[in-house]
Every structure is written in structure tokens, then in C-alpha cells.
Amino acid sequence: MPFGPGAARAAVVTRVAVVTGGASGIGAAVVRTLARDSTHVVVADVDLDAAREVAAEVGGRAAQLDVTDSQAVDAFFADGQCPDVLVCSAGGALRSAALEIDDPTFGAVLDLNVGGFFRCARAAARRSIRLSRPLSIVHVGSSLAEGAATDLAHFGAAKAACASLVRTLAVEWASHGIRVNSVVPGLVRTPATAAVLASHEASLARDVPLGRVGEPDDVAGAVAYLVGADAGWVTGTAVTVDGGRRASR
Ligand SMILES: NC(=O)c1ccc[n+]([C@@H]2O[C@H](COP(=O)([O-])OP(=O)(O)OC[C@H]3O[C@@H](n4cnc5c(N)ncnc54)[C@H](O)[C@@H]3O)[C@@H](O)[C@H]2O)c1
């Protein structure tokens, strides 16, 4: 089955997108951006109340989904409408020095960030392959996957594993018309970064060539490109959205 530009354009006229972690921060910005582009968005988040608020804003649907619950993830993708787009933004970790990270915490951060991405991508891919429908998956990675992730060793390791998964899944699933890409944000203003920005924003912004930290919409724009028709021949790659920070190191 061919998946050229024509096929991709037809697929985006009316799309269904699932955004995990869509109730807050980068995920919520992705929800709002995709909803402006002929897309029905399902806001899938462990926090149902927050998901409902974001879904109501855009006329989308809220769903309670814990991406660490494998059975729930499988049921979610088996039962609902087959998505054309899956954006995996659920993730995160609490800061801790590597010496203080115990096994359960290390395992939980890997399970949320790597396991959560993999099981959602796998369930959505199985569904789309069964129905012979194209699918575009975007993972929200992190610039901390490269270099040292001081006080976030578990998180940096998890996001590095996700970057590998993006490449492998893209190659394994390409023949099914499934594209898999990632956006790689630098420091972005969200509830998850409120504390560090409250105390250090000015000095952190000085390290960014474009002179400011990121906003969730900066990342959402890159996601919109990757899931759109103009990226119909783009798979297995990462778009860095960091104000030039990576290039300057
Ligand atoms: N903010 C940044 O600077 C930054 C930088 C790089 C990467 N990221 C990544 O972007 C993504 C979004 O981060 P954010 O800053 O918007 O965080 P956020 O805390 O604002 O949003 C995360 C969302 O994920 C949801 N979530 C958490 N655990 C979940 C689970 N088990 N199942 C389903 N949903 C769950 C939360 O309820 C929340 O709505 C994360 O993967 C994060 O690692 C963020």
C-alpha cells in the first residue's frame, strides 16, 4: 500500500488524535494546536479532571489513562476510535542526585517514560495495522537524553532509551504506513518546571542563544509539522526545539 503525499493529505482532512499527558504543559499545548487543524483530539491523562478542562476548551474528549497500566492502555486503543495521530507527552521525574535514587524510583521513572511511550505506541500500531490505516506517532523526548542529566539520571536514561525506540519503531513499522518521530525540547515553561524557573529563569535563559526559555506552543508547532501532511516522508527522526542551546554546546 503506497503512503505518498496524496495519501497523507487525504488522511489529515479529518483526523483523530490521542495526546497522552494532554491535560497539562506541552501536551495541553499540542491538544490546542491540533484542534485548530481539523482534528478531533482525545485528551488521555491520568488526571481526568484536568483532561476534562482541556478537552472542553477544544470540543474534544477526555479519557482517564494511566500509561503505566498495560491492560488499560491495550483496552483504550482496542475499544476507541482508531487514531490517525498519537502524541506521547505523558512523562517526567522528580529531581534527585544519582546517589539518592533507589531501585523502585529508578524503575518507576523508566516505566513511566519508556514503558508508557512503548506500550501506547505498540497498542496504537497494532490497531492501525489491523485496520490497514496510516498512523503518525510523535514522542516528546528531552534534550537531557544527550550529555549529562545532573540530578535527573533516571530521566535522562529513560529519554535516551525513548530516542532509540523512536528510530527502531519507525523502521519496523514503516511498511505499514506508520511514521514515528520525536520532538526534543530544551527547558520549557510548564507546571513541571515552575519551581526551577521561579528561582533560575534569568540565568537559564542566558544559556539559550535565542535568549529565552521555551513555551509549550514552541514545541506544539513542531509536533503539528511532524503529524501533518508536509511531513509525509519524515520518519525515525528528531526535531530539536531548544532555542539553539544544543548547537551552542
Ligand atoms: N517542561 C520541560 O522543560 C520539558 C523538557 C523536555 C521534555 N519534557 C517532556 O515533555 C513531556 C510533558 O512535560 P510537561 O513539562 O508538559 O509536564 P506536565 O507535568 O505539565 O504534564 C505532564 C502530564 O502528564 C500526565 N501524566 C503523568 N503521569 C501519567 C501517567 N502515568 N499516565 C498518563 N498521564 C500521566 C500528568 O497528569 C500531566 O498532565 C514529558 O514527557 C517531559 O518529560 C518537558
Side-chain angles (χ1 to χ4, degrees), residues 20-28 44-47 50-51 64-69 88-93 112-113 139-144 155 159 183-193 197 214 216 219:
T20 75
S24 177
I26 291 170
D45 202 289
V46 72
D47 184 343
Q64 186 163 37
L65 182 68
D66 180 350
V67 300
T68 67
D69 181 339
C88 296
S89 189
L112 169 61
N113 290 280
H139 174 254
V140 180
S142 170
S143 57
L144 296 180
F155 179 76
K159 291 293 187 179
V183 287
V184 182
L187 184 63
V188 176
R189 188 187 318 280
T190 71
T193 57
L197 289 179
V219 184

mmCIF file of all heavy atoms in Angstrom, residues 20-28 44-47 50-51 64-69 88-93 112-113 139-144 155 159 183-193 197 214 216 219, ligand 1:
data_model
loop_
_atom_site.group_PDB
_atom_site.id
_atom_site.type_symbol
_atom_site.label_atom_id
_atom_site.label_comp_id
_atom_site.label_asym_id
_atom_site.label_seq_id
_atom_site.Cartn_x
_atom_site.Cartn_y
_atom_site.Cartn_z
ATOM 1 N N THR A 20 -1.376 11.692 24.938
ATOM 2 C CA THR A 20 -1.181 11.278 26.332
ATOM 3 C C THR A 20 -0.479 12.406 27.082
ATOM 4 O O THR A 20 0.344 13.127 26.514
ATOM 5 C CB THR A 20 -0.358 9.979 26.451
ATOM 6 O OG1 THR A 20 1.027 10.263 26.203
ATOM 7 C CG2 THR A 20 -0.858 8.890 25.509
ATOM 8 N N GLY A 21 -0.870 12.572 28.345
ATOM 9 C CA GLY A 21 -0.343 13.712 29.094
ATOM 10 C C GLY A 21 -0.886 15.020 28.556
ATOM 11 O O GLY A 21 -0.289 16.082 28.750
ATOM 12 N N GLY A 22 -2.032 14.954 27.899
ATOM 13 C CA GLY A 22 -2.588 16.138 27.224
ATOM 14 C C GLY A 22 -3.269 17.120 28.148
ATOM 15 O O GLY A 22 -3.755 18.161 27.689
ATOM 16 N N ALA A 23 -3.302 16.822 29.448
ATOM 17 C CA ALA A 23 -4.026 17.696 30.372
ATOM 18 C C ALA A 23 -3.187 18.858 30.881
ATOM 19 O O ALA A 23 -3.708 19.738 31.569
ATOM 20 C CB ALA A 23 -4.533 16.869 31.552
ATOM 21 N N SER A 24 -1.890 18.881 30.567
ATOM 22 C CA SER A 24 -1.018 19.908 31.156
ATOM 23 C C SER A 24 0.159 20.213 30.236
ATOM 24 O O SER A 24 0.533 19.393 29.378
ATOM 25 C CB SER A 24 -0.501 19.409 32.513
ATOM 26 O OG SER A 24 0.409 20.333 33.092
ATOM 27 N N GLY A 25 0.734 21.384 30.416
ATOM 28 C CA GLY A 25 2.022 21.725 29.822
ATOM 29 C C GLY A 25 2.105 21.532 28.318
ATOM 30 O O GLY A 25 1.249 22.012 27.554
ATOM 31 N N ILE A 26 3.138 20.832 27.897
ATOM 32 C CA ILE A 26 3.384 20.638 26.459
ATOM 33 C C ILE A 26 2.232 19.858 25.822
ATOM 34 O O ILE A 26 1.768 20.204 24.726
ATOM 35 C CB ILE A 26 4.731 19.893 26.263
ATOM 36 C CG1 ILE A 26 5.889 20.809 26.669
ATOM 37 C CG2 ILE A 26 4.890 19.438 24.809
ATOM 38 C CD1 ILE A 26 7.243 20.117 26.754
ATOM 39 N N GLY A 27 1.750 18.816 26.496
ATOM 40 C CA GLY A 27 0.647 18.026 25.951
ATOM 41 C C GLY A 27 -0.592 18.874 25.717
ATOM 42 O O GLY A 27 -1.250 18.761 24.673
ATOM 43 N N ALA A 28 -0.918 19.749 26.665
ATOM 44 C CA ALA A 28 -2.108 20.603 26.515
ATOM 45 C C ALA A 28 -1.932 21.569 25.343
ATOM 46 O O ALA A 28 -2.889 21.850 24.606
ATOM 47 C CB ALA A 28 -2.373 21.358 27.812
ATOM 48 N N ALA A 44 -5.853 12.209 26.763
ATOM 49 C CA ALA A 44 -5.712 10.996 27.577
ATOM 50 C C ALA A 44 -4.697 11.257 28.681
ATOM 51 O O ALA A 44 -3.512 11.455 28.409
ATOM 52 C CB ALA A 44 -5.255 9.837 26.699
ATOM 53 N N ASP A 45 -5.167 11.269 29.916
ATOM 54 C CA ASP A 45 -4.278 11.656 31.016
ATOM 55 C C ASP A 45 -4.709 10.917 32.277
ATOM 56 O O ASP A 45 -5.880 10.574 32.445
ATOM 57 C CB ASP A 45 -4.366 13.177 31.232
ATOM 58 C CG ASP A 45 -3.149 13.744 31.944
ATOM 59 O OD1 ASP A 45 -2.986 13.477 33.157
ATOM 60 O OD2 ASP A 45 -2.363 14.456 31.281
ATOM 61 N N VAL A 46 -3.765 10.699 33.167
ATOM 62 C CA VAL A 46 -4.088 10.069 34.443
ATOM 63 C C VAL A 46 -4.959 11.000 35.296
ATOM 64 O O VAL A 46 -5.724 10.545 36.143
ATOM 65 C CB VAL A 46 -2.780 9.656 35.173
ATOM 66 C CG1 VAL A 46 -2.033 10.858 35.714
ATOM 67 C CG2 VAL A 46 -3.043 8.617 36.249
ATOM 68 N N ASP A 47 -4.856 12.306 35.052
ATOM 69 C CA ASP A 47 -5.637 13.322 35.785
ATOM 70 C C ASP A 47 -6.898 13.646 34.970
ATOM 71 O O ASP A 47 -6.872 14.492 34.069
ATOM 72 C CB ASP A 47 -4.758 14.566 35.984
ATOM 73 C CG ASP A 47 -5.454 15.639 36.810
ATOM 74 O OD1 ASP A 47 -6.696 15.586 36.953
ATOM 75 O OD2 ASP A 47 -4.747 16.540 37.298
ATOM 76 N N ALA A 50 -8.391 17.407 35.045
ATOM 77 C CA ALA A 50 -7.616 18.344 34.216
ATOM 78 C C ALA A 50 -7.815 18.027 32.736
ATOM 79 O O ALA A 50 -7.910 18.939 31.897
ATOM 80 C CB ALA A 50 -6.140 18.275 34.581
ATOM 81 N N ALA A 51 -7.906 16.750 32.396
ATOM 82 C CA ALA A 51 -8.128 16.364 30.998
ATOM 83 C C ALA A 51 -9.477 16.886 30.513
ATOM 84 O O ALA A 51 -9.604 17.363 29.383
ATOM 85 C CB ALA A 51 -8.067 14.844 30.859
ATOM 86 N N GLN A 64 -9.544 9.003 30.964
ATOM 87 C CA GLN A 64 -8.560 8.722 32.014
ATOM 88 C C GLN A 64 -7.698 7.554 31.562
ATOM 89 O O GLN A 64 -8.212 6.477 31.255
ATOM 90 C CB GLN A 64 -9.238 8.384 33.330
ATOM 91 C CG GLN A 64 -8.229 8.241 34.462
ATOM 92 C CD GLN A 64 -8.875 8.320 35.826
ATOM 93 O OE1 GLN A 64 -9.975 7.835 36.010
ATOM 94 N NE2 GLN A 64 -8.185 8.949 36.767
ATOM 95 N N LEU A 65 -6.417 7.797 31.467
ATOM 96 C CA LEU A 65 -5.498 6.745 31.029
ATOM 97 C C LEU A 65 -4.195 6.869 31.814
ATOM 98 O O LEU A 65 -3.554 7.917 31.799
ATOM 99 C CB LEU A 65 -5.206 6.872 29.530
ATOM 100 C CG LEU A 65 -4.280 5.786 28.976
ATOM 101 C CD1 LEU A 65 -4.970 4.418 28.998
ATOM 102 C CD2 LEU A 65 -3.837 6.112 27.547
ATOM 103 N N ASP A 66 -3.834 5.766 32.477
ATOM 104 C CA ASP A 66 -2.531 5.696 33.139
ATOM 105 C C ASP A 66 -1.609 4.905 32.214
ATOM 106 O O ASP A 66 -1.803 3.697 32.016
ATOM 107 C CB ASP A 66 -2.686 4.994 34.494
ATOM 108 C CG ASP A 66 -1.356 4.880 35.246
ATOM 109 O OD1 ASP A 66 -0.302 5.165 34.653
ATOM 110 O OD2 ASP A 66 -1.394 4.493 36.422
ATOM 111 N N VAL A 67 -0.617 5.558 31.651
ATOM 112 C CA VAL A 67 0.227 4.891 30.644
ATOM 113 C C VAL A 67 1.126 3.820 31.260
ATOM 114 O O VAL A 67 1.781 3.081 30.526
ATOM 115 C CB VAL A 67 1.073 5.914 29.834
ATOM 116 C CG1 VAL A 67 0.181 6.893 29.095
ATOM 117 C CG2 VAL A 67 2.091 6.623 30.717
ATOM 118 N N THR A 68 1.162 3.726 32.584
ATOM 119 C CA THR A 68 1.932 2.644 33.214
ATOM 120 C C THR A 68 1.092 1.377 33.387
ATOM 121 O O THR A 68 1.616 0.356 33.826
ATOM 122 C CB THR A 68 2.489 3.069 34.601
ATOM 123 O OG1 THR A 68 1.397 3.247 35.508
ATOM 124 C CG2 THR A 68 3.305 4.342 34.510
ATOM 125 N N ASP A 69 -0.185 1.445 33.045
ATOM 126 C CA ASP A 69 -1.095 0.304 33.210
ATOM 127 C C ASP A 69 -1.286 -0.358 31.840
ATOM 128 O O ASP A 69 -2.066 0.100 31.008
ATOM 129 C CB ASP A 69 -2.424 0.820 33.778
ATOM 130 C CG ASP A 69 -3.432 -0.295 34.017
ATOM 131 O OD1 ASP A 69 -3.296 -1.375 33.404
ATOM 132 O OD2 ASP A 69 -4.367 -0.073 34.798
ATOM 133 N N CYS A 88 2.764 11.227 22.359
ATOM 134 C CA CYS A 88 3.070 10.699 23.690
ATOM 135 C C CYS A 88 3.830 11.751 24.489
ATOM 136 O O CYS A 88 5.046 11.897 24.339
ATOM 137 C CB CYS A 88 3.902 9.419 23.570
ATOM 138 S SG CYS A 88 3.010 8.084 22.757
ATOM 139 N N SER A 89 3.087 12.481 25.327
ATOM 140 C CA SER A 89 3.711 13.539 26.132
ATOM 141 C C SER A 89 3.732 13.189 27.618
ATOM 142 O O SER A 89 4.412 13.863 28.392
ATOM 143 C CB SER A 89 2.971 14.872 25.905
ATOM 144 O OG SER A 89 3.651 15.949 26.488
ATOM 145 N N ALA A 90 2.996 12.157 28.025
ATOM 146 C CA ALA A 90 2.999 11.774 29.448
ATOM 147 C C ALA A 90 4.418 11.392 29.859
ATOM 148 O O ALA A 90 5.059 10.579 29.192
ATOM 149 C CB ALA A 90 2.047 10.603 29.680
ATOM 150 N N GLY A 91 4.884 11.973 30.930
ATOM 151 C CA GLY A 91 6.229 11.646 31.380
ATOM 152 C C GLY A 91 6.704 12.638 32.420
ATOM 153 O O GLY A 91 5.977 13.557 32.787
ATOM 154 N N GLY A 92 7.935 12.418 32.886
ATOM 155 C CA GLY A 92 8.513 13.319 33.865
ATOM 156 C C GLY A 92 9.239 12.556 34.949
ATOM 157 O O GLY A 92 9.298 11.319 34.929
ATOM 158 N N ALA A 93 9.810 13.301 35.890
ATOM 159 C CA ALA A 93 10.526 12.707 37.025
ATOM 160 C C ALA A 93 10.816 13.801 38.039
ATOM 161 O O ALA A 93 10.929 14.977 37.676
ATOM 162 C CB ALA A 93 11.848 12.081 36.572
ATOM 163 N N LEU A 112 7.362 4.787 33.540
ATOM 164 C CA LEU A 112 6.510 5.885 33.071
ATOM 165 C C LEU A 112 6.986 6.411 31.713
ATOM 166 O O LEU A 112 6.206 6.525 30.765
ATOM 167 C CB LEU A 112 6.513 7.023 34.107
ATOM 168 C CG LEU A 112 5.881 8.349 33.662
ATOM 169 C CD1 LEU A 112 4.411 8.167 33.299
ATOM 170 C CD2 LEU A 112 6.032 9.406 34.753
ATOM 171 N N ASN A 113 8.277 6.707 31.615
ATOM 172 C CA ASN A 113 8.765 7.414 30.423
ATOM 173 C C ASN A 113 9.030 6.499 29.230
ATOM 174 O O ASN A 113 8.658 6.844 28.097
ATOM 175 C CB ASN A 113 10.022 8.209 30.781
ATOM 176 C CG ASN A 113 9.712 9.393 31.681
ATOM 177 O OD1 ASN A 113 9.277 10.427 31.206
ATOM 178 N ND2 ASN A 113 9.897 9.229 32.988
ATOM 179 N N HIS A 139 6.751 11.253 19.768
ATOM 180 C CA HIS A 139 7.132 11.172 21.172
ATOM 181 C C HIS A 139 7.742 12.500 21.605
ATOM 182 O O HIS A 139 8.503 13.113 20.845
ATOM 183 C CB HIS A 139 8.169 10.045 21.364
ATOM 184 C CG HIS A 139 8.717 10.007 22.747
ATOM 185 N ND1 HIS A 139 9.985 10.435 23.068
ATOM 186 C CD2 HIS A 139 8.143 9.622 23.904
ATOM 187 C CE1 HIS A 139 10.168 10.292 24.365
ATOM 188 N NE2 HIS A 139 9.075 9.806 24.902
ATOM 189 N N VAL A 140 7.394 12.938 22.810
ATOM 190 C CA VAL A 140 8.010 14.144 23.357
ATOM 191 C C VAL A 140 9.224 13.706 24.176
ATOM 192 O O VAL A 140 9.097 13.161 25.272
ATOM 193 C CB VAL A 140 7.016 14.954 24.220
ATOM 194 C CG1 VAL A 140 7.698 16.208 24.760
ATOM 195 C CG2 VAL A 140 5.781 15.328 23.392
ATOM 196 N N GLY A 141 10.386 13.889 23.593
ATOM 197 C CA GLY A 141 11.637 13.477 24.233
ATOM 198 C C GLY A 141 12.186 14.568 25.111
ATOM 199 O O GLY A 141 11.431 15.381 25.666
ATOM 200 N N SER A 142 13.506 14.603 25.243
ATOM 201 C CA SER A 142 14.135 15.648 26.062
ATOM 202 C C SER A 142 15.581 15.826 25.638
ATOM 203 O O SER A 142 16.275 14.844 25.329
ATOM 204 C CB SER A 142 14.098 15.271 27.540
ATOM 205 O OG SER A 142 14.909 16.168 28.276
ATOM 206 N N SER A 143 16.042 17.078 25.689
ATOM 207 C CA SER A 143 17.450 17.343 25.392
ATOM 208 C C SER A 143 18.356 16.662 26.422
ATOM 209 O O SER A 143 19.548 16.468 26.176
ATOM 210 C CB SER A 143 17.705 18.852 25.374
ATOM 211 O OG SER A 143 17.325 19.414 26.612
ATOM 212 N N LEU A 144 17.793 16.261 27.582
ATOM 213 C CA LEU A 144 18.608 15.592 28.603
ATOM 214 C C LEU A 144 18.958 14.159 28.222
ATOM 215 O O LEU A 144 19.704 13.486 28.934
ATOM 216 C CB LEU A 144 17.887 15.612 29.958
ATOM 217 C CG LEU A 144 17.672 17.008 30.545
ATOM 218 C CD1 LEU A 144 16.948 16.915 31.880
ATOM 219 C CD2 LEU A 144 18.993 17.744 30.724
ATOM 220 N N PHE A 155 15.777 10.015 34.549
ATOM 221 C CA PHE A 155 15.002 10.638 33.472
ATOM 222 C C PHE A 155 15.826 10.716 32.191
ATOM 223 O O PHE A 155 15.329 10.399 31.095
ATOM 224 C CB PHE A 155 14.572 12.034 33.935
ATOM 225 C CG PHE A 155 13.782 12.818 32.929
ATOM 226 C CD1 PHE A 155 12.451 12.532 32.691
ATOM 227 C CD2 PHE A 155 14.372 13.866 32.237
ATOM 228 C CE1 PHE A 155 11.716 13.262 31.770
ATOM 229 C CE2 PHE A 155 13.652 14.613 31.319
ATOM 230 C CZ PHE A 155 12.318 14.310 31.086
ATOM 231 N N LYS A 159 14.834 8.917 28.670
ATOM 232 C CA LYS A 159 14.608 9.627 27.403
ATOM 233 C C LYS A 159 15.603 9.171 26.325
ATOM 234 O O LYS A 159 15.279 9.181 25.132
ATOM 235 C CB LYS A 159 14.689 11.139 27.628
ATOM 236 C CG LYS A 159 13.524 11.704 28.461
ATOM 237 C CD LYS A 159 12.181 11.609 27.747
ATOM 238 C CE LYS A 159 11.076 12.326 28.501
ATOM 239 N NZ LYS A 159 9.772 12.298 27.853
ATOM 240 N N VAL A 183 9.925 15.026 19.083
ATOM 241 C CA VAL A 183 10.391 16.391 19.309
ATOM 242 C C VAL A 183 11.270 16.338 20.548
ATOM 243 O O VAL A 183 11.019 15.558 21.464
ATOM 244 C CB VAL A 183 9.228 17.399 19.515
ATOM 245 C CG1 VAL A 183 8.519 17.671 18.214
ATOM 246 C CG2 VAL A 183 8.250 16.923 20.576
ATOM 247 N N VAL A 184 12.310 17.148 20.544
ATOM 248 C CA VAL A 184 13.275 17.124 21.644
ATOM 249 C C VAL A 184 13.349 18.523 22.241
ATOM 250 O O VAL A 184 14.127 19.365 21.778
ATOM 251 C CB VAL A 184 14.657 16.654 21.133
ATOM 252 C CG1 VAL A 184 15.650 16.591 22.289
ATOM 253 C CG2 VAL A 184 14.543 15.293 20.459
ATOM 254 N N PRO A 185 12.535 18.772 23.264
ATOM 255 C CA PRO A 185 12.537 20.125 23.829
ATOM 256 C C PRO A 185 13.711 20.358 24.756
ATOM 257 O O PRO A 185 14.187 19.448 25.444
ATOM 258 C CB PRO A 185 11.229 20.174 24.644
ATOM 259 C CG PRO A 185 10.488 18.916 24.352
ATOM 260 C CD PRO A 185 11.497 17.920 23.861
ATOM 261 N N GLY A 186 14.158 21.606 24.787
ATOM 262 C CA GLY A 186 15.012 22.074 25.875
ATOM 263 C C GLY A 186 14.102 22.458 27.030
ATOM 264 O O GLY A 186 13.014 21.887 27.190
ATOM 265 N N LEU A 187 14.514 23.421 27.823
ATOM 266 C CA LEU A 187 13.721 23.807 29.004
ATOM 267 C C LEU A 187 12.495 24.618 28.585
ATOM 268 O O LEU A 187 12.615 25.662 27.946
ATOM 269 C CB LEU A 187 14.594 24.629 29.957
ATOM 270 C CG LEU A 187 13.940 25.022 31.279
ATOM 271 C CD1 LEU A 187 13.578 23.797 32.108
ATOM 272 C CD2 LEU A 187 14.876 25.937 32.065
ATOM 273 N N VAL A 188 11.317 24.107 28.962
ATOM 274 C CA VAL A 188 10.046 24.715 28.551
ATOM 275 C C VAL A 188 9.238 25.075 29.796
ATOM 276 O O VAL A 188 9.203 24.309 30.771
ATOM 277 C CB VAL A 188 9.254 23.711 27.675
ATOM 278 C CG1 VAL A 188 7.892 24.273 27.304
ATOM 279 C CG2 VAL A 188 10.049 23.354 26.419
ATOM 280 N N ARG A 189 8.561 26.208 29.730
ATOM 281 C CA ARG A 189 7.762 26.666 30.875
ATOM 282 C C ARG A 189 6.472 25.834 30.998
ATOM 283 O O ARG A 189 5.568 25.970 30.178
ATOM 284 C CB ARG A 189 7.382 28.139 30.668
ATOM 285 C CG ARG A 189 6.715 28.797 31.880
ATOM 286 C CD ARG A 189 6.204 30.202 31.545
ATOM 287 N NE ARG A 189 7.116 30.979 30.735
ATOM 288 C CZ ARG A 189 8.193 31.623 31.211
ATOM 289 N NH1 ARG A 189 8.461 31.586 32.488
ATOM 290 N NH2 ARG A 189 8.984 32.300 30.394
ATOM 291 N N THR A 190 6.413 24.965 31.990
ATOM 292 C CA THR A 190 5.211 24.160 32.266
ATOM 293 C C THR A 190 5.116 24.006 33.786
ATOM 294 O O THR A 190 6.068 24.367 34.507
ATOM 295 C CB THR A 190 5.313 22.749 31.631
ATOM 296 O OG1 THR A 190 6.282 22.000 32.368
ATOM 297 C CG2 THR A 190 5.678 22.775 30.164
ATOM 298 N N PRO A 191 4.029 23.430 34.276
ATOM 299 C CA PRO A 191 3.968 23.186 35.730
ATOM 300 C C PRO A 191 5.158 22.363 36.228
ATOM 301 O O PRO A 191 5.615 22.546 37.363
ATOM 302 C CB PRO A 191 2.645 22.421 35.889
ATOM 303 C CG PRO A 191 1.788 22.947 34.774
ATOM 304 C CD PRO A 191 2.733 23.142 33.615
ATOM 305 N N ALA A 192 5.687 21.484 35.380
ATOM 306 C CA ALA A 192 6.804 20.634 35.811
ATOM 307 C C ALA A 192 8.088 21.426 36.032
ATOM 308 O O ALA A 192 8.977 20.977 36.760
ATOM 309 C CB ALA A 192 7.042 19.532 34.773
ATOM 310 N N THR A 193 8.211 22.580 35.420
ATOM 311 C CA THR A 193 9.453 23.363 35.538
ATOM 312 C C THR A 193 9.241 24.681 36.297
ATOM 313 O O THR A 193 10.148 25.514 36.355
ATOM 314 C CB THR A 193 10.037 23.679 34.144
ATOM 315 O OG1 THR A 193 9.044 24.369 33.370
ATOM 316 C CG2 THR A 193 10.457 22.409 33.426
ATOM 317 N N LEU A 197 12.209 27.475 37.266
ATOM 318 C CA LEU A 197 12.132 28.765 36.577
ATOM 319 C C LEU A 197 11.905 29.904 37.556
ATOM 320 O O LEU A 197 12.399 31.024 37.351
ATOM 321 C CB LEU A 197 11.037 28.732 35.509
ATOM 322 C CG LEU A 197 11.359 27.860 34.292
ATOM 323 C CD1 LEU A 197 10.215 27.854 33.296
ATOM 324 C CD2 LEU A 197 12.649 28.319 33.614
ATOM 325 N N GLY A 214 11.755 28.021 26.591
ATOM 326 C CA GLY A 214 10.703 27.696 25.640
ATOM 327 C C GLY A 214 9.313 27.830 26.244
ATOM 328 O O GLY A 214 9.141 27.781 27.464
ATOM 329 N N PRO A 216 5.292 26.147 25.801
ATOM 330 C CA PRO A 216 4.682 24.926 25.265
ATOM 331 C C PRO A 216 4.300 25.031 23.791
ATOM 332 O O PRO A 216 4.449 24.065 23.033
ATOM 333 C CB PRO A 216 3.452 24.737 26.162
ATOM 334 C CG PRO A 216 3.864 25.331 27.477
ATOM 335 C CD PRO A 216 4.709 26.523 27.117
ATOM 336 N N VAL A 219 6.898 23.983 21.204
ATOM 337 C CA VAL A 219 7.007 22.535 20.963
ATOM 338 C C VAL A 219 5.815 22.039 20.153
ATOM 339 O O VAL A 219 5.956 21.213 19.244
ATOM 340 C CB VAL A 219 7.110 21.782 22.306
ATOM 341 C CG1 VAL A 219 7.325 20.298 22.061
ATOM 342 C CG2 VAL A 219 8.233 22.353 23.167
HETATM 343 N N1 LIG B 1 8.904 21.117 30.508
HETATM 344 C C1 LIG B 1 10.125 20.854 30.033
HETATM 345 O O1 LIG B 1 11.070 21.651 30.173
HETATM 346 C C2 LIG B 1 10.387 19.577 29.283
HETATM 347 C C3 LIG B 1 11.607 19.462 28.625
HETATM 348 C C4 LIG B 1 11.876 18.298 27.917
HETATM 349 C C5 LIG B 1 10.940 17.283 27.875
HETATM 350 N N2 LIG B 1 9.759 17.418 28.528
HETATM 351 C C6 LIG B 1 8.820 16.313 28.426
HETATM 352 O O2 LIG B 1 7.589 16.793 27.963
HETATM 353 C C7 LIG B 1 6.545 15.966 28.443
HETATM 354 C C8 LIG B 1 5.499 16.844 29.090
HETATM 355 O O3 LIG B 1 6.110 17.538 30.168
HETATM 356 P P1 LIG B 1 5.481 18.856 30.802
HETATM 357 O O4 LIG B 1 6.603 19.713 31.196
HETATM 358 O O5 LIG B 1 4.409 19.375 29.911
HETATM 359 O O6 LIG B 1 4.873 18.238 32.159
HETATM 360 P P2 LIG B 1 3.486 18.444 32.905
HETATM 361 O O7 LIG B 1 3.744 17.919 34.264
HETATM 362 O O8 LIG B 1 2.980 19.823 32.726
HETATM 363 O O9 LIG B 1 2.496 17.449 32.126
HETATM 364 C C9 LIG B 1 2.638 16.071 32.215
HETATM 365 C C10 LIG B 1 1.257 15.445 32.074
HETATM 366 O O10 LIG B 1 1.441 14.015 32.079
HETATM 367 C C11 LIG B 1 0.431 13.450 32.890
HETATM 368 N N3 LIG B 1 0.862 12.150 33.396
HETATM 369 C C12 LIG B 1 1.795 11.897 34.342
HETATM 370 N N4 LIG B 1 1.884 10.583 34.581
HETATM 371 C C13 LIG B 1 0.990 9.996 33.757
HETATM 372 C C14 LIG B 1 0.599 8.644 33.533
HETATM 373 N N5 LIG B 1 1.137 7.630 34.258
HETATM 374 N N6 LIG B 1 -0.335 8.373 32.612
HETATM 375 C C15 LIG B 1 -0.911 9.391 31.911
HETATM 376 N N7 LIG B 1 -0.609 10.686 32.084
HETATM 377 C C16 LIG B 1 0.338 10.987 33.002
HETATM 378 C C17 LIG B 1 0.229 14.465 34.007
HETATM 379 O O11 LIG B 1 -1.023 14.277 34.666
HETATM 380 C C18 LIG B 1 0.322 15.769 33.231
HETATM 381 O O12 LIG B 1 -0.958 16.157 32.746
HETATM 382 C C19 LIG B 1 7.189 14.975 29.413
HETATM 383 O O13 LIG B 1 7.394 13.741 28.748
HETATM 384 C C20 LIG B 1 8.504 15.633 29.744
HETATM 385 O O14 LIG B 1 9.495 14.707 30.081
HETATM 386 C C21 LIG B 1 9.458 18.544 29.239
#
